[in-house]
Amino acid sequence: MLVTVYHGVDVGTAKDKGAMHFDALPSCGEEVEIDRKAYVVGRVWHLPSARFAGAKLAILINEAVDEAIMSRTPALASA
């Protein structure tokens, strides 16, 4: 599943990290690993544009988590 990933505290100030492939859409509060760093998903939403090809879903990752507290099966993304 192609998902646009934003990194920041809120959508207005978040930086676009690009579109990444996930096996399943991460949910709010879920831990994800991107570029060997752990993050927590803060928000998930639909991008309703039907006029261009690309991701129709987006997530906001807003804080790194300590690897010691990550679950054993985090969602993995690949760019």
Side-chain angles (χ1 to χ4, degrees):
M1 171 173 293
L2 188 61
V3 177
T4 300
V5 178
Y6 295 94
H7 180 236
V9 179
D10 58 50
V11 177
T13 61
K15 294 184 179 183
D16 185 350
K17 289 187 71 74
M20 299 181 186
H21 290 274
F22 288 85
D23 290 337
L25 180 64
S27 59
C28 191
E30 185 174 349
E31 299 164 351
V32 296
E33 184 179 321
I34 299 172
D35 297 331
R36 298 184 182 163
K37 290 186 179 180
Y39 299 94
V40 173
V41 176
R43 181 176 173 201
V44 179
W45 70 99
H46 179 249
L47 300 171
S49 178
R51 296 181 183 241
F52 69 92
K56 303 295 187 236
L57 298 164
I59 62 172
L60 177 68
I61 53 174
N62 57 7
E63 58 186 84
V65 295
D66 187 348
E67 288 189 30
I69 62 170
M70 281 194 63
S71 66
R72 294 181 185 187
T73 57
L76 299 177
S78 58

